[in-house]
Amino acid sequence: MQEGLFIDGDRMKADFDALSRIGSTGDGGVHRPTFSDAHLQARRWFLEVAAQSGFETRVDPAGNHSAVLTMPAATRTLLIGSHLDSVPKGGRFDGALGVVAALEVLRSVQDAQLELPVSLEAIDLTDEEGTLVGRLGSAALAGTLRPQDLENPRCGRENLKTALQRAGLSEAGLLSARRDPAQLAGYLEMHIEQGPRLARNGKDIGIVTGIVGIASYQVMFHGEANHAGTTPMQARCDAGLGASSFVVAAHQLVRNRYPDSVVNFGRAEFDSGAYNIIPAHALLHFQFRSPDESNFVRLDAELRAEAEKAARQFGLRVELHPGPKWNPVKMTPEVQAAFEQAADSLDLSHERMHSGGGHDADKLVRVTRAGMIFIPSPNSVSHDPREYSEWKDCENGANVLLRAAVEVANSSH
Amino acid sequence: MQEGLFIDGDRMKADFDALSRIGSTGDGGVHRPTFSDAHLQARRWFLEVAAQSGFETRVDPAGNHSAVLTMPAATRTLLIGSHLDSVPKGGRFDGALGVVAALEVLRSVQDAQLELPVSLEAIDLTDEEGTLVGRLGSAALAGTLRPQDLENPRCGRENLKTALQRAGLSEAGLLSARRDPAQLAGYLEMHIEQGPRLARNGKDIGIVTGIVGIASYQVMFHGEANHAGTTPMQARCDAGLGASSFVVAAHQLVRNRYPDSVVNFGRAEFDSGAYNIIPAHALLHFQFRSPDESNFVRLDAELRAEAEKAARQFGLRVELHPGPKWNPVKMTPEVQAAFEQAADSLDLSHERMHSGGGHDADKLVRVTRAGMIFIPSPNSVSHDPREYSEWKDCENGANVLLRAAVEVANSSH
């Protein structure tokens, strides 16, 4: 480890503050959905600062924006990055902090005149949050983006077309943006935790071991409408009761038997039209996440079985419509080790944890060594203007990112 | 009991069929909301048939339509009736059957040239189903209608005004329609069961012992929105989970500890806006019914306690907004006995049961002797075009109604 190597906290803070003003919502948050005016302005700002710092700048056919510190002898490049887009009315840390930290890593390496066997590339990946598709730039870069991903995008087909046009991009470009994995030395990202664990445990740094798998379902229970005053409790086919029982059973299942997993029912709806009519239909939307491949598969089957069980118990029919599904992935062990060594060299406390949210590293670990660190989110609020991290923690994270980047770069051969 | 006394089933069937055509929905049902064209037409039909049968006809200031078989020596009147309004797109039996049976009772007594100590009045009570207010004509007649019942009617204030105007009625009239209880000898009604019990138990006649109390609540659970991927299960304040748990717990409470009561959640709604956001708010509408006064009060308190318990368990706040409430009432024992004797005299099997639905007898028993019988609803469907009873059961019910009416009339002194 480079004992004397540190980022310049004031310089990074100036960048972070400048970026927080672009698309500011006035209450601490930013509104920078993919290819909105504010988002495009943030990306221009990134290239300008990169150029002023003496870095080569690049924009690939997926719209990924890069600042490159080229090493003379390098044939490969270590990517360090995150994203400048935000959810609508989101926080100013999510993504943006990782981009300014990546830029600061490049400047610190440049200032220290380190010679590394690979080039360093600070990268702002396109549409991580999914205003359009979700992790679009990283999928394109990894070469895992498929034409059908663009056919039914989350934002709707027409919105995608219009948005791409605004940004001067094309679908053909997106589908051709794959980078040869042989030219990649890895991908590192620093991000806010977006959860309470680090703050609660008093740790400085979270070493991400993997990213959860995510699957979602729409569920419809079908029963029979009937008069709730004259129909005995035992003679009912109450879709609302089946749905409610499934919600409770799914929570119990996850709490009791899948402590590393989560389940959430974001939506429930039944309305028989009157207080005295038994609901014939009940709709649920739920999502579950698990960091472990075998648990992910087992939990999927068990949740489906719980829905069927609730239907049987209350004389209902149930339909399960699966939504998008992403399998869990593990971060590269040697990258995790590099982050840990870097944290130790800085006397920062750390713990291993999985990421409960999706990130670009999910796409990139499929083609190159990849890893992430988290810094504490003391109020655990994210995707909201109240999103907050202590600046000291941001600096700590950037220093870990810097030292790990040097380590990973030096271990590239 | 009058051993040789029977109604004329064919005559009653002709009436029933004529009435089923007024407001017919073409699929076995009728659409006769209060003061709709079809409803007003049905009421005109009733007065015409009554007049053709030689009865005096009356319309009171609450719009209640009556056919009266006057007895020379009588100072009091025994009411026999039901209602000609229907729920929107309802069945052809609910209410209408009781009105044609009442008319048939009067004709049968007239044909038999019976002399009774009280007059008989077949009555079509206004707005039983509550398109406007609910049991409006019976409350007005009983003198329990209060001005505030007309201030916030179920249908909305303006709709009530317009509807009254259509029918040539006024609020002042409604509030003055009280009949002196000293002039009433009782109220008898025959109705379809609207539930499965008689058919399941193979009984011809249900002797109604009382009408359930009914209370309803709107419930709001308030928790905290948060990211469902990064917030541990234990750290959540999930309003949807609290609501679902309350639904399940309320059902368990009623099934396990209140076997004569029912509870129904007609509506539930929570929508965090995304699969991965924990719902901050959840709405429920529920209603419960109990035939017993002390159970009704205890169940009310226990259901409220269950809602509070679910809130505490999941770190939520809960608001309970009470809706309308009607206490349970008992039917007059001597009327129940008269119905039983009548059924026995006809060799019809019968059982005592409470009514799970509200009926006009609820209002009238507060001022006079009142009772009801049910006939089987084999498919247990009601308030729906599929509502159905066997014609033989309709005739049986009308014969019981006839003989009990004579008995109650003769016991009036």
Side-chain angles (χ1 to χ4, degrees), chain B residues 172-186:
Chain B
L174 283 169
L175 293 167
S176 72
R178 176 175 176 271
R179 298 261 288 257
D180 179 1
Q183 295 176 359
L184 299 176

Side-chain angles (χ1 to χ4, degrees), chain B residues 323-368:
Chain B
K325 187 186 231 172
W326 295 278
N327 288 323
V329 292
K330 297 288 179 205
M331 296 293 99
T332 308
E334 66 196 87
V335 177
Q336 295 180 47
F339 278 130
E340 278 173 336
Q341 285 167 37
D344 285 337
S345 77
L346 290 154
D347 280 332
L348 296 171
S349 60
H350 52 84
E351 70 177 73
R352 294 190 166 219
M353 61 192 299
H354 69 258
S355 168
H359 292 285
D360 287 312
D362 177 354
K363 303 294 182 190
L364 293 164
V365 76
R366 290 157 207 270
V367 293
T368 188

Side-chain angles (χ1 to χ4, degrees), chain A residues 17-249:
Chain A
D17 290 344
L19 194 49
S20 297
R21 286 191 288 271
I22 302 175
S24 166
T25 50
D27 53 359
V30 295
H31 182 73
R32 291 199 301 251
T34 304
F35 304 155
S36 61
D37 286 343
H39 178 233
L40 296 176
Q41 190 187 336
R43 303 192 108 177
R44 283 193 301 273
W45 171 89
F46 173 67
L47 292 191
E48 281 163 22
V49 175
Q52 283 159 15
S53 304
F55 303 131
E56 183 188 335
T57 63
R58 290 189 200 152
V59 177
D60 76 8
N64 298 312
H65 281 44
S66 300
V68 186
L69 172 58
T70 307
M71 293 291 160
T75 58
R76 295 199 290 159
T77 302
L78 175 62
L79 306 175
I80 311 167
S82 196
H83 59 93
L84 291 181
D85 67 315
S86 81
V87 297
K89 296 182 189 163
R92 67 192 185 279
F93 290 85
D94 186 346
L97 180 66
V99 174
V100 297
L103 197 58
E104 183 56 29
V105 165
L106 265 63
R107 285 190 297 220
S108 302
V109 169
Q110 179 176 255
D111 291 350
Q113 297 182 313
L114 294 183
E115 279 186 27
L116 300 173
V118 297
S119 297
L120 299 186
E121 179 172 339
I123 188 163
D124 157 32
L125 292 157
T126 298
D127 188 43
E128 194 272 345
E129 294 291 4
T131 316
L132 304 179
V133 176
R135 284 166 268 162
L136 180 58
S138 53
L141 195 158
T144 61
L145 186 71
R146 302 159 307 171
Q148 58 263 43
D149 299 328
L150 304 178
E151 286 305 321
N152 287 301
R154 193 187 290 185
C155 64
R157 180 87 184 122
E158 287 311 304
N159 288 336
L160 176 62
K161 284 187 181 173
T162 311
L164 289 177
Q165 217 159 23
R166 280 176 63 82
L169 298 173
S170 72
E171 294 183 50
L174 283 168
L175 293 167
S176 72
R178 174 174 179 273
R179 298 259 290 257
D180 179 1
Q183 292 174 0
L184 298 176
Y187 174 73
L188 308 185
E189 179 169 353
M190 159 188 170
H191 203 279
I192 54 168
E193 182 194 343
Q194 305 177 281
R197 187 163 148 182
L198 290 173
R200 216 163 44 192
N201 295 352
K203 301 289 186 182
D204 300 311
I205 300 290
I207 311 292
V208 177
T209 53
I211 297 175
V212 290
I214 305 179
S216 55
Y217 285 92
Q218 278 193 25
V219 189
M220 275 296 286
F221 287 93
H222 299 279
E224 207 175 316
N226 225 326
H227 191 295
T230 55
T231 312
M233 298 296 279
Q234 288 74 10
R236 302 177 177 200
C237 300
D238 183 336
L241 179 57
S244 302
S245 296
F246 175 48
V247 172
V248 172

